[in-house]
Amino acid sequence: EVAAGEPIYSPEDVGVYVTSPVKCDAAITIKGDSMIPNYHDGDVVYIKCQEDVPEGAVAVVFLDDEATLKHVYKRKTGLTLWSDNPEYAPLVIEFEDYARVRIFGVPVGFTRMFKSDPLKGIRKGFKKN
């Protein structure tokens, strides 16, 4: 699991194998709403592992043993992590505050599982004349 909000504990040695619709190195489940409208709570995001990303790219970032999915902006003394959801303030990460800060990888696709029927309430079929 990876946070779309405050970083959450995410040990790297825990996981399961999944069948992916895209070529990827890892799959994570989103928890939270900070990356709405692009990523929603419960989405499975497929990650290509890489240690660096272009400025502003969305990436999974580990802060010690916690992980988050955000846009990454680099500074000399750390990173600034931005959410897609404007209700969340940027996270300013100082390297000196963590034993280890690293970029894990970038999304290459995702699968969305609807928690309720998206067509509920919509009349099905055609109206007869």
Side-chain angles (χ1 to χ4, degrees):
E1 294 179 345
V2 68
E6 290 297 315
I8 58 173
Y9 178 70
S10 184
E12 294 179 58
D13 61 346
V14 176
V16 295
Y17 290 97
V18 296
T19 302
S20 167
V22 296
K23 185 176 178 182
C24 67
D25 300 310
I28 57 171
T29 302
I30 298 294
K31 295 292 177 194
D33 65 354
S34 75
M35 292 302 284
I36 285 176
N38 295 308
Y39 301 99
H40 294 245
D41 187 60
D43 285 355
V44 176
V45 180
Y46 305 102
I47 304 296
K48 177 184 177 229
C49 292
Q50 61 186 59
E51 296 178 358
D52 196 16
V53 295
E55 192 75 2
V58 174
V60 174
V61 177
F62 274 89
L63 310 170
D64 292 334
D65 288 332
E66 297 181 333
T68 190
L69 180 74
K70 299 277 187 267
H71 293 271
V72 177
Y73 295 91
K74 302 167 194 167
R75 296 178 297 105
K76 287 182 181 180
T77 61
L79 302 173
T80 301
L81 305 178
W82 283 79
S83 300
D84 283 336
N85 185 338
E87 293 184 21
Y88 285 81
L91 294 174
V92 178
I93 304 302
E94 300 297 335
F95 292 139
E96 66 186 29
D97 294 337
Y98 295 89
R100 191 166 94 158
V101 175
R102 72 182 179 95
I103 295 169
F104 179 72
V106 296
V108 292
F110 70 92
T111 302
R112 178 158 298 146
M113 301 298 191
F114 293 103
K115 294 182 181 181
S116 63
D117 182 355
L119 299 176
K120 186 176 183 178
I122 297 176
R123 185 180 176 121
K124 297 178 181 172
F126 294 97
K127 185 176 180 180
K128 294 182 180 181
N129 291 331

